[in-house]
Amino acid sequence: MKPEYSEKLKLLPPYLFIEIDRRKKAAIERGADIISFGVGDPDMPTPRHIVEAGKLSIENPKNHQYPFGSGLMTFREAVSRWYRSRFGVNLNPANQVHSLIGSKEGIGHIHLAFVNPGDVVLIPEPGYPVYNTGALFAGGEPYFMPLVEKNGFLPDFSVIPDAIFQKAKLMFLNYPNNPTAAVADKAFYASAIEIAKKYSIIIAADAAYSEIFYDDPPISFLEVEGAMEVGVEFHSLSKTYNMTGWRLGFAAGNADIIKGLASVKDNYDSGVFQAIQEAGVCALSSSQKCVDDARKIYCRRRDALVSGLIKLGWTLNSPVATFYVWAKVPPRYKSGEAVAKLLDEAAIVATPGNGLGPSGEGYVRFALTVPEPRIKEALERMSKIKW
Ligand SMILES: *Cc1c(COP(=O)(O)O)cnc(C)c1O
């Protein structure tokens, strides 16, 4: 028997990286030494003190049972303390914080708590694919908000029809932004909150990159007046502490919204392994020097790649946050063609901008998760490409 996939599964967009993947495999078969700027997965290990805390916690039998619910009180308190010191935001750990099995999990599930079939979900594009997947799985109708350079890669609310806002239940925002590396200011968030209040739209702010910055620390959506009435913010320990493999994140903000997400989760999973939550307590409560050290490393990589690309004639803005460089492809090329040429002629993997949404056409995303000597090697190889 060949199983018949569900209509919802069939709705998912085709895997856009298939052609790149095929070329990558062919290059590896040729024996090419691939340098990958593709996936945004930190290459550096989780800081030692966090690993040690996790090891100790694994030994504790009280952590061997189902975790259940919103997470350890110690974890939610650590989140609450971290929010106060980092953003000056007060969160009640009892009902305004919820642990997540990575923030992707919460971002995917929140739709099921609030979106009915036919409801609109406002989604930035190019963007993280899970906003769209979650909307489709809930039977919602994605409405894409283009992020273009002339608007500072912020959605332009003035061009969204009133009828769309009327039907919208949920709006995703993501700053610092993957893939454009843009940041949002208070005025932008205030305009989003005004719309959210006017049309009763829930705002889900994805702040996975809030700690990866090279300039002033980015603000939190929850710092802005009125945010707590209309939204939640998703955070992840993945990028901040090189913990992508551990699967730990959290949602914070409006208690009723958190409660909806909690109900979905209670019925789908039984919480985050407590040992991992305890490692998270260590990460959030210890000295943040490890984060500062990582920022310095990303900063040097950024400077090496940005100055090198500019020397080679590429057009781009140096990112002020995230570990992505969002570069315009050489003239007359499409994203897919440029990425294919980088791979075929220099064994370099990068993400085609249009793979993350149509407004990404004409761009390539380079993730700075590659050591500096390899960045220099990549630039050396790129200098030999004729565009
Ligand atoms: C990496 C990333 C996440 C979160 O990842 P988790 O590991 O699931 O916490 C969320 N949003 C964006 C935009 C990301 O790039």
Side-chain angles (χ1 to χ4, degrees):
M1 180 203 87
K2 201 169 180 312
E4 172 80 7
Y5 296 115
S6 71
E7 294 307 318
K8 281 183 178 149
L9 204 53
K10 287 189 220 159
L11 272 179
L12 295 190
Y15 185 56
L16 274 151
F17 302 103
I18 266 180
E19 177 60 15
I20 292 298
D21 211 52
R22 194 187 60 73
R23 282 169 190 262
K24 185 177 161 185
K25 289 205 178 97
I28 290 169
E29 267 163 37
R30 287 199 304 273
D33 168 27
I34 299 272
I35 302 177
S36 182
F37 296 95
V39 189
D41 188 351
D43 57 314
M44 296 177 277
T46 306
R48 202 64 237 159
H49 61 286
I50 302 172
V51 175
E52 293 301 332
K55 274 162 79 177
L56 270 180
S57 292
I58 285 175
E59 298 282 356
N60 186 346
K62 87 168 165 41
N63 290 334
H64 297 173
Q65 293 183 287
Y66 283 123
F68 287 132
S70 54
L72 290 171
M73 192 42 133
T74 51
F75 177 71
R76 287 177 284 140
E77 281 167 353
V79 166
S80 166
R81 279 194 307 273
W82 180 80
Y83 245 88
R84 195 171 314 122
S85 76
R86 171 66 176 85
F87 301 115
V89 170
N90 288 315
L91 291 169
N92 182 350
N95 60 4
Q96 294 186 312
V97 179
H98 200 295
S99 63
L100 298 170
I101 311 169
S103 63
K104 178 181 189 177
E105 178 263 302
I107 290 166
H109 280 147
I110 192 172
H111 303 260
L112 293 174
F114 301 104
V115 178
N116 288 311
D119 286 346
V120 165
V121 180
L122 298 162
I123 298 170
E125 72 78 15
Y128 191 54
V130 189
Y131 312 138
N132 181 36
T133 313
L136 295 176
F137 279 172
E141 285 180 22
Y143 182 89
F144 293 102
M145 307 185 288
L147 305 184
V148 295
E149 187 165 4
K150 75 168 167 43
N151 299 325
F153 299 111
L154 298 167
D156 179 359
F157 298 132
S158 72
V159 299
I160 299 176
D162 194 69
I164 293 294
F165 279 136
Q166 301 277 5
K167 283 172 69 185
K169 283 296 282 291
L170 189 57
M171 173 179 354
F172 282 89
L173 298 173
N174 167 221
Y175 296 98
N177 183 255
N178 171 11
T180 68
V183 292
D185 61 11
K186 254 192 182 135
F188 169 75
Y189 283 134
S191 68
I193 291 166
E194 195 183 314
I195 284 165
K197 284 187 173 166
K198 180 170 174 195
Y199 296 97
S200 295
I201 300 170
I202 290 168
I203 293 183
D206 176 356
Y209 296 94
S210 72
E211 303 317 298
I212 314 293
F213 56 83
Y214 314 105
D215 207 335
D216 294 333
I219 62 165
S220 156
F221 162 72
L222 296 179
E223 281 177 47
V224 184
E225 205 184 310
M228 208 65 92
E229 291 159 53
V230 299
V232 289
E233 189 157 71
F234 288 98
H235 271 273
S236 170
L237 280 77
S238 290
K239 316 291 162 55
T240 310
Y241 304 105
N242 307 330
M243 289 179 77
T244 47
W246 297 64
R247 312 311 302 131
L248 182 60
F250 56 91
N254 181 281
D256 293 318
I257 302 174
I258 295 282
K259 196 169 156 188
L261 177 59
S263 299
V264 175
K265 285 179 56 57
D266 285 346
N267 285 284
Y268 263 148
D269 65 67
S270 303
V272 181
F273 183 22
Q274 288 181 4
I276 288 176
Q277 294 188 54
E278 288 184 344
V281 172
C282 169
L284 293 166
S285 308
S286 308
S287 152
Q288 299 297 293
K289 182 178 177 295
C290 58
V291 188
D292 207 44
D293 291 345
R295 277 195 284 265
K296 282 180 186 142
I297 292 169
Y298 288 131
C299 189
R300 280 201 299 274
R301 293 175 177 182
R302 173 197 72 161
D303 292 344
L305 185 63
V306 165
S307 64
L309 285 173
I310 287 173
K311 245 181 239 156
L312 295 176
W314 288 63
T315 308
L316 55 100
N317 297 314
S318 185
V320 294
T322 77
F323 46 53
Y324 300 110
V325 171
W326 187 237
K328 284 215 177 81
V329 296
R332 295 180 309 281
Y333 281 82
K334 296 250 186 215
S335 297
E337 294 164 352
V339 164
K341 205 166 155 75
L342 286 171
L343 187 51
D344 293 345
E345 298 180 26
I348 289 168
V349 174
T351 302
N354 66 323
L356 299 163
S359 301
E361 179 57 79
Y363 289 88
V364 172
R365 189 192 75 178
F366 294 92
L368 296 167
T369 46
V370 176
E372 242 183 298
R374 295 292 277 170
I375 292 176
K376 295 200 167 126
E377 161 76 21
L379 288 164
E380 177 63 30
R381 292 184 196 173
M382 284 171 78
S383 69
K384 300 192 177 97
I385 300 179
K386 294 239 163 0
W387 293 96

